[in-house]
């Protein structure tokens, strides 16, 4: 049996996040000691590792919940897990493509500076003039952190 602090150290998940996952039903309610302290078994540790890994891969909580609901499923029901993985991969590839476009544009802007500071800064002009951009770009949405 593990205390919540021990579970946190073993998984790298903050105590507050473990409590949040319990509230969301991602972790089963733990046993309690006579002093009302949480005690987790090996199954809870393994489940928390699963949740952390899926969150580290960027999956939203709704998808984590869907994957957990497939525990023990067989046959065609498991297609849902594949769909979630494929969608997450497509989302990641889209974010990477956007980041590459941003990288190209920022490299162009950084190269606009000639290193001389006796005139109007070309970099500041480039940041201020979206019409001068070489293509369309937009920052991808921030990656969902592993913590809530």
């Amino acid at each position: 049996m593990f205390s919540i602090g021990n579970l946190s150290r073993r998984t790298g998940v903050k105590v507050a996040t473990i409590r949040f996952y319990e509230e969301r039903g991602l972790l089963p309610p733990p046993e309690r000691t006579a002093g009302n302290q949480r005690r987790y078994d090996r199954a809870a540790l393994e489940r928390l590792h699963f949740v952390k890994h899926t969150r580290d891969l960027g999956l939203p909580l709704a998808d984590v919940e869907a994957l957990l609901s497939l525990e023990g499923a067989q046959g065609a029901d498991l297609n849902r897990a594949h769909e979630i993985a494929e969608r997450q991969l497509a989302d990641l590839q889209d974010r990477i493509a956007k980041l590459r476009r941003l990288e190209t544009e920022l490299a162009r802007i950084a190269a606009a500076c000639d290193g001389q500071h006796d005139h109007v800064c070309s970099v500041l002009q480039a940041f201020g003039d979206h019409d001068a951009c070489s293509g369309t770009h937009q920052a991808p949405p921030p990656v969902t952190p592993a913590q809530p």
Side-chain angles (χ1 to χ4, degrees), residues 49-120:
H49 274 296
F50 177 90
V51 171
K52 181 180 186 323
H53 189 217
T54 58
R55 297 293 286 151
D56 287 348
L57 290 170
L59 274 73
L61 285 175
D63 285 345
V64 176
E65 290 167 344
L67 289 170
L68 288 170
S69 75
L70 295 172
E71 188 174 2
Q74 295 179 347
D77 290 339
L78 295 173
N79 289 342
R80 180 76 178 119
H82 183 75
E83 292 166 4
I84 289 169
E86 288 288 328
R87 187 181 64 244
Q88 187 63 22
L89 176 59
D91 289 347
L92 177 63
Q93 289 169 333
D94 184 53
R95 285 196 312 268
I96 289 170
K98 287 178 181 175
L99 286 169
R100 285 190 175 130
R101 288 191 301 272
L102 285 174
E103 178 185 34
T104 299
E105 187 60 27
L106 286 170
R108 184 193 67 77
I109 289 172
C113 180
D114 60 9
Q116 304 299 315
H117 298 291
D118 59 351
H119 56 277
V120 176

Side-chain angles (χ1 to χ4, degrees), residues 116-138:
Q116 304 299 315
H117 298 291
D118 59 351
H119 56 277
V120 176
C121 179
S122 301
V123 171
L124 291 177
Q125 286 180 323
F127 275 125
D129 185 4
H130 191 65
D131 292 334
C133 293
S134 61
T136 60
H137 57 84
Q138 178 182 358

